[in-house]
Amino acid sequence: MSAVLDPHGHAHGHDHDDHHDHGAPAGWRRWVFATNHKDIGTLYLLFAFTMLMFGGVLALMIRAELFQPGLQLVNPELFNQLTTMHGVIMVFGAIMPAFVGFANWMIPLQIGAADMAFARMNNFSFWLLIPAGALVLGSFFMPGGAPAAGWTFYAPLTLQMGPSMDAGIFALHIMGASSIMGSINIIVTILNMRAPGMPLMKMPMFCWTWLITAYLLIAVMPVLAGAITMTLTDRHFGTSFFNPAGGGDPVMFQHIFWFFGHPEVYIMILPAFGIVSHIVPAFARKRLFGYASMVYATSSIAILSFIVWAHHMFTTGMPVTGQLFFMYATMLIAVPTAVKIFNWIATMWQGSMTFETPMLFAVGFIFVFTMGGFTGLILAMAPIDIQLQDTYYVVAHFHYVLVAGSLYAMFAGYYYWSPKWTGVMYNETRGKIHFWWSLIAFNVTFFPMHFLGLAGMPRRYADYPMQFADFNMVASIGAFAFGFAQVYFFFFIVLPTMMGKGEKAPQKPWEAAEGLEWEIPSPAPFHTFEVPPKLNAAANQIIA
């Protein structure tokens, strides 16, 4: 392999910790005024994990209430607040910021850029999340409690909520502004700052998936902003966009929301596809099968995501023609998604595979995400969906896609890249414990929900009849096990590596890993690629 570049483009070996060299500010200023992509990536990841823990506590309160029939711990009003805020915090506070954290850390390293294109805007887009997060979490302490209209904010419920609804709308606006700024930064960085000799079709898959995701974010975040602004004017300024009493249409809100909401689903999964597309080839010791078809499949998913939104609305009184169109369009999305899954399987086929923790999570992702995809295909069929609408079957489906999808891919990405971030290797045994604990607990939690949904148990109910008791008890036990697995992950895997405890990581801990990020020392120096590396375009290797 070619030579190692130090921050100034000189090749040599590193024995000392580079983090504090080359003018890295010390103390709190380093973080508050951070313009370095690595520091901002770390801030995003820490914020996302904090919000994941808050959202997880709300989920465990939901599952504790549902452990038995009857009202045990919370009243139905608080239960609705918990389900609403769990969804909002997980989607906007945990998954989206975590992927932006990965993008900040990895994209400049993967394309040989010195940093992100707009370093100060990068800082601003992160710090916007703090007041937004505070507004979301603080809404529980406002008069009337947190918003309780579901994370989809359906009118007319939102028009009847207390002042916390306004705080929620404001928080979403701030998070949306943060997302748009982050996306502009990612697009400009990828299109303008790639190292000489790296054409788009030789770019790492993670950069491709994020480039497409960033365009999706810029396209749909303003749509969400429009929907919640109309909600705000309905609440306070006498308009009647969604208020039937004034001639408004609550179903129009659903159309606008899901026009944002369905691309949003892909915003939360495409970066995960990118991460898995790096890990599978590294541990199968083969090149990624069908690189170009992966790029086209990702683009196809993004384009198709704009024409399937009303499959969330089959029960709103849609004409049969509309139902058929959205049903077929939704089933069509299964094709490019299947292309990606076949490509990963073909990459593994006859590969020389080993199963370190990143690969375990990547294979776990493929297996469980595919199950979530199949339940999505079932829900795409209008006659079946009308039966399963708003039942626990839907809850099972999207948790299989988002927890076993987005979250598992993030864990895989963490184990894969953290030696480069921290300079130390995580504990492999603990990583494997985290994987198996998470995989088993996840399935114990969410698999029974398919049966609950098929039996007709509606979601967002604080109480239920006796016939649903057993599966709910199993799901609640699984949920607590899954929650504790993530606490274990933080205290026994993340914290020791952040504190530098563990075996020193080599420059390239995974022998078959490819990419520029493995051409720099571990831990990654504070400044990398001040002089863009010159690449051999055929192999994306530095020509020293």
Side-chain angles (χ1 to χ4, degrees):
M1 197 60 159
S2 29
V4 172
L5 292 195
D6 86 344
H8 298 289
H10 309 300
H12 72 114
H14 280 252
D15 297 319
H16 57 291
D17 180 4
D18 244 299
H19 264 281
H20 304 292
D21 295 356
H22 313 301
W28 60 271
R29 279 187 179 78
R30 170 175 176 180
W31 300 102
V32 174
F33 302 126
T35 49
N36 184 289
H37 71 97
K38 302 178 185 77
D39 285 353
I40 293 173
T42 303
L43 287 169
Y44 265 108
L45 289 167
L46 287 171
F47 173 83
F49 193 82
T50 306
M51 295 300 269
L52 183 79
M53 290 294 104
F54 276 116
V57 168
L58 302 185
L60 293 186
M61 289 170 74
I62 294 168
R63 287 314 321 170
E65 175 54 57
L66 294 173
F67 185 71
Q68 287 181 309
L71 292 177
Q72 271 71 242
L73 303 169
V74 299
N75 61 27
E77 289 75 28
L78 179 56
F79 186 86
N80 285 346
Q81 294 172 31
L82 294 175
T83 50
T84 302
M85 300 316 287
H86 165 69
V88 170
I89 288 169
M90 289 306 203
V91 170
F92 297 102
I95 291 182
M96 290 169 72
F99 277 137
V100 179
F102 275 100
N104 265 298
W105 246 107
M106 297 317 302
I107 287 173
L109 296 186
Q110 290 191 328
I111 64 173
D115 207 303
M116 297 295 278
F118 306 116
R120 286 191 178 84
M121 185 165 87
N122 207 8
N123 175 293
F124 187 47
S125 71
F126 169 75
W127 285 108
L128 279 177
L129 291 177
I130 303 299
L135 274 173
V136 167
L137 296 175
S139 64
F140 279 102
F141 306 102
M142 294 175 187
W151 82 274
T152 51
F153 296 118
Y154 274 6
L157 274 175
T158 42
L159 310 180
Q160 300 154 9
M161 294 281 135
S164 65
M165 193 68 228
D166 303 321
I169 289 172
F170 193 41
L172 282 182
H173 271 304
I174 299 171
M175 286 174 170
S178 165
S179 289
I180 289 170
M181 284 193 282
S183 301
I184 291 169
N185 218 341
I186 287 166
I187 289 170
V188 175
T189 304
I190 290 176
L191 293 185
N192 292 347
M193 296 177 67
R194 297 192 310 286
M198 184 185 282
L200 278 174
M201 288 310 281
K202 291 282 183 191
M203 195 165 70
M205 270 310 299
F206 181 65
C207 300
W208 257 118
T209 53
W210 243 117
L211 179 65
I212 292 164
T213 302
Y215 277 113
L216 278 179
L217 274 163
I218 289 174
V220 301
M221 288 316 281
V223 178
L224 174 68
I228 57 180
T229 304
M230 286 191 269
T231 303
L232 194 70
T233 60
D234 273 11
R235 285 170 56 81
H236 297 292
F237 300 108
T239 57
S240 292
F241 292 111
F242 311 129
N243 187 353
D249 182 6
V251 176
M252 182 171 78
F253 177 86
Q254 296 190 27
H255 278 291
I256 301 169
F257 178 87
W258 286 116
F259 189 79
F260 147 80
H262 205 79
E264 166 68 19
V265 171
Y266 293 102
I267 286 163
M268 292 189 284
I269 200 68
L270 291 183
F273 291 165
I275 292 172
V276 171
S277 300
H278 283 272
I279 293 170
V280 169
F283 293 93
R285 288 160 182 78
K286 281 174 64 186
R287 300 300 289 271
L288 179 67
F289 179 89
Y291 172 93
S293 64
M294 285 291 245
V295 172
Y296 298 135
T298 310
S299 312
S300 310
I301 290 170
I303 293 161
L304 288 171
S305 74
F306 284 100
I307 60 162
V308 297
W309 77 89
H311 66 212
H312 298 267
M313 300 170 54
F314 284 145
T315 55
T316 53
M318 194 184 298
V320 172
T321 323
Q323 289 188 345
L324 285 172
F325 170 80
F326 286 107
M327 180 167 98
Y328 293 142
T330 305
M331 291 163 78
L332 193 61
I333 276 202
V335 177
T337 312
V339 167
K340 303 178 95 56
I341 289 165
F342 286 129
N343 283 10
W344 292 322
I345 293 170
T347 305
M348 291 189 274
W349 180 253
Q350 296 193 328
S352 171
M353 293 212 290
T354 52
F355 292 97
E356 288 86 347
T357 313
M359 186 62 163
L360 283 176
F361 268 107
V363 174
F365 163 91
I366 294 168
F367 174 66
V368 194
F369 173 80
T370 305
M371 288 171 62
F374 278 130
T375 54
L377 205 53
I378 290 165
L379 289 168
M381 298 179 203
I384 302 177
D385 181 76
I386 287 166
Q387 300 299 315
L388 296 174
Q389 162 85 8
D390 265 341
T391 67
Y392 266 77
Y393 192 91
V394 178
V395 178
H397 157 67
F398 67 71
H399 282 89
Y400 264 79
V401 175
L402 284 177
V403 181
S406 305
L407 194 63
Y408 277 20
M410 286 182 214
F411 287 144
Y414 174 82
Y415 286 110
Y416 184 62
W417 283 312
S418 72
K420 185 57 64 189
W421 300 348
T422 60
V424 296
M425 294 300 292
Y426 62 88
N427 182 308
E428 189 64 57
T429 309
R430 290 178 183 176
K432 286 183 169 150
I433 290 170
H434 175 224
F435 168 73
W436 288 109
W437 187 354
S438 293
L439 185 77
I440 293 165
F442 169 81
N443 282 292
V444 169
T445 306
F446 292 105
F447 201 76
M449 292 186 188
H450 293 104
F451 303 127
L452 286 170
L454 288 166
M457 179 170 168
R459 63 180 182 161
R460 297 182 187 163
Y461 275 44
D463 191 8
Y464 53 86
M466 199 63 214
Q467 70 257 33
F468 301 135
D470 293 349
F471 279 140
N472 269 300
M473 183 178 286
V474 171
S476 291
I477 293 167
F480 277 88
F482 187 76
F484 287 124
Q486 309 332 313
V487 175
Y488 171 85
F489 167 68
F490 185 73
F491 283 106
F492 291 94
I493 295 159
V494 177
L495 270 186
T497 54
M498 281 171 72
M499 292 147 95
K501 293 178 181 165
E503 204 181 306
K504 188 166 177 359
Q507 175 190 319
K508 193 174 175 188
W510 321 115
E511 60 192 82
E514 291 192 346
L516 289 185
E517 69 263 40
W518 308 113
E519 301 285 316
I520 55 171
S522 300
F526 190 71
H527 294 293
T528 37
F529 302 127
E530 286 184 5
V531 178
K534 289 190 173 53
L535 302 185
N536 163 4
N540 258 358
Q541 291 177 355
I542 297 176
I543 306 167

